[in-house]
Amino acid sequence: MIKHQRGLTLSGLLVWGVFLVVVAVFGMKVVPTYLEYYKIQKDTKAAVAQVGPEATVADVRKAFDRFAEIDMLEFSSNQLEISKENGRIVVEFAYEKRIPLFANVSLVIDYQGSTQK
């Protein structure tokens, strides 16, 4: 009767450990930018809902700035494109986020969103 050993070698453990650390560090750098994007999306929708269809561009920007201040966003209302389509206010935004990974390597993510359905 032959018994086969089961388990993980030390080198295999090190390789998997390094892989998990790299994935965790990558996640810790990328996840906050996704959260920021969803906060911006939520705040633009809330600002449009708050001001109503007869509001001016300045009213929408002020409402967004109040929501952005509460959520502590670095995103400014000046980066919003505000227009009216079919009597409804539509707010669009697009921006680029550069995440430094290591040395001279960065990850660039292009975010864009709109309140239009």
Side-chain angles (χ1 to χ4, degrees):
M1 184 170 183
I2 300 175
K3 289 188 175 183
H4 294 286
Q5 289 185 351
R6 294 182 184 179
L8 190 64
T9 63
L10 182 59
S11 60
L13 180 66
L14 289 173
V15 168
W16 279 107
V18 168
F19 175 74
L20 290 175
V21 166
V22 168
V23 168
V25 168
F26 184 75
M28 287 188 292
K29 289 184 176 222
V30 172
V31 168
T33 66
Y34 278 112
L35 294 176
E36 179 186 46
Y37 166 74
Y38 287 115
K39 285 181 182 180
I40 294 169
Q41 185 74 28
K42 175 185 66 93
D43 289 349
T44 54
K45 289 179 181 179
V48 169
Q50 183 183 41
V51 296
E54 298 303 318
T56 64
V57 171
D59 294 337
V60 176
R61 289 191 195 282
K62 286 178 190 175
F64 176 82
D65 283 336
R66 284 192 298 268
F67 285 110
E69 185 177 343
I70 292 168
D71 283 338
M72 295 184 286
L73 296 176
E74 295 176 8
F75 191 83
S76 170
S77 64
N78 294 331
Q79 296 172 275
L80 298 175
E81 294 292 326
I82 303 168
S83 62
K84 273 196 175 182
E85 293 180 13
N86 299 328
R88 294 181 48 198
I89 296 174
V90 176
V91 178
E92 298 175 329
F93 62 92
Y95 66 100
E96 179 181 280
K97 197 69 170 183
R98 184 174 301 270
I99 305 166
L101 297 177
F102 55 89
N104 61 351
V105 177
S106 296
L107 174 67
V108 178
I109 303 174
D110 290 323
Y111 290 107
Q112 61 184 14
S114 174
T115 57
Q116 188 177 27
K117 293 182 180 178

